[in-house]
Amino acid sequence: MTQQPAIRLDNLTVCYDRHPAVHHLSGAFPDGSLTAIVGPNGAGKSTLLKAIMGMLPTTTGRIDHVALTRADIAYLPQQAQIDRQFPITVLDVVLLGHWQRIGMLGAVTAALREQANAALAAVGLADFGRRLIHSLSAGQFQRVLFARMLLQEARLILLDEPFTAIDARTTADLLEVVQSWHAERRTVIAVLHDLEQVRAHFPETLLLARSGIAWGRTAEVLTPTNLHRARQIAEDWDDSALLLCAVQP
Ligand code: ADP
Ligand code: MG
């Protein structure tokens, strides 16, 4: 692909304390691309998404959000990081997708409510608006979070393991939502584990093992050699990157 990048990474390193979670990563997510991030546990996949979101500082290198502001980015964290005991209705969770536009004190208009209900219908939850979120299954709750992102109309969508522990039917339905975003030329980046799913639905892949192992067309990235290298590197410790973290204040 030769088009304009949405996000450019230039020799990016992100450390936690003295631990390099992502290091020396360079490359670009083209505008309108649909990219999977795959790699072993602890490979820095979630860290990279959080750094792109601006939730973590970069240790060295830089992230260039080409023509994107914070309001243009939607982010779905890994499921375990969301508290579902909060007593809030499904409709209100979906309306949260609009907070950046209406502000905390802005009125939720009838038109907005209608849009939220339409988003719920689009993910197969037409009559769920009044339900409290703790009463939903994991798959239903994931549908709610996708409805919220539908309302957000983001240019860049970051998904961290959106289909882990989600039933097959929900996964298939939400993959269709991802495809529709791609058809609308939004940029989508998703951390995934199922390589067959990646091969079937994601044209581009970044294979990450703290550093970038391969990045490009999925078929060229997910080769046995690259996957083997990713596993090996994940088991080793990179001393040069460790030093890089240690020099930070
Ligand atoms: P992945 O999502 O690929 O499984 P993560 O980005 O969550 O990997 O984590 C990368 C590495 O950073 C892991 O070794 C993990 O233990 C470490 N790590 C993640 N979050 C923190 C944190 N908040 N503080 C310290 N270390 C962390
Ligand atoms: Mg993760």
Side-chain angles (χ1 to χ4, degrees):
M1 264 189 246
T2 54
Q3 73 258 55
Q4 158 104 344
I7 295 282
R8 197 163 33 220
L9 309 178
D10 180 14
N11 203 26
L12 176 70
T13 295
V14 181
C15 301
Y16 293 107
D17 199 4
R18 282 159 193 272
H19 178 100
V22 173
H23 67 87
H24 302 112
L25 183 62
S26 292
F29 297 96
D31 191 34
S33 59
L34 173 55
T35 307
I37 301 180
V38 302
N41 284 330
K45 305 180 297 295
S46 297
T47 299
L48 177 58
L49 291 195
K50 287 176 189 165
I52 291 172
M53 268 306 282
M55 296 161 68
L56 290 173
T58 63
T59 305
T60 60
R62 54 178 277 139
I63 301 173
D64 199 358
H65 298 81
V66 184
L68 287 171
T69 66
R70 178 70 177 71
D72 295 320
I73 310 178
Y75 167 60
L76 179 71
Q78 236 171 295
Q79 268 221 328
Q81 293 171 2
I82 298 168
D83 178 11
R84 281 225 275 139
Q85 294 314 307
F86 201 73
I88 183 172
T89 66
V90 164
L91 189 69
D92 282 338
V93 170
V94 176
L95 284 167
L96 285 176
H98 256 303
W99 272 18
Q100 272 160 329
R101 235 166 295 163
I102 62 178
M104 294 286 286
L105 302 174
V108 175
T109 61
L112 256 184
R113 210 170 277 274
E114 210 167 286
Q115 276 182 48
N117 279 317
L120 278 171
V123 297
L125 294 180
D127 296 319
F128 280 69
R130 287 163 181 274
R131 289 268 293 270
L132 290 172
I133 55 170
H134 71 75
S135 71
L136 302 182
S137 70
Q140 287 168 338
F141 185 60
Q142 202 70 334
R143 288 173 190 263
V144 172
L145 296 180
F146 268 69
R148 180 166 86 178
M149 289 188 287
L150 280 174
L151 223 63
Q152 226 173 315
E153 305 240 306
R155 296 297 316 151
L156 171 66
I157 298 159
L158 308 174
L159 308 170
D160 199 346
E161 300 199 25
F163 309 127
T164 299
I166 299 296
D167 62 280
R169 174 74 198 278
T170 299
T171 299
D173 287 352
L174 297 183
L175 270 170
E176 279 188 29
V177 175
V178 169
Q179 296 295 340
S180 73
W181 282 326
H182 184 47
E184 291 165 3
R185 310 256 332 120
R186 299 175 203 274
T187 307
V188 183
I189 303 171
V191 173
L192 297 166
H193 281 295
D194 182 338
L195 297 186
E196 287 319 306
Q197 189 179 74
V198 172
R199 288 189 176 100
H201 301 284
F202 290 76
E204 311 279 319
T205 296
L206 163 60
L207 176 58
L208 193 65
R210 293 203 292 270
S211 61
I213 305 300
W215 192 349
R217 303 297 298 173
T218 294
E220 289 157 31
V221 169
L222 296 182
T223 62
T225 311
N226 285 340
L227 290 167
H228 179 71
R229 248 186 91 216
R231 271 194 300 274
Q232 268 193 327
I233 288 175
E235 286 159 15
D236 293 343
W237 194 250
D238 190 316
D239 287 336
S240 66
L242 197 61
L243 270 173
L244 196 61
C245 297
V247 299
Q248 295 307 305

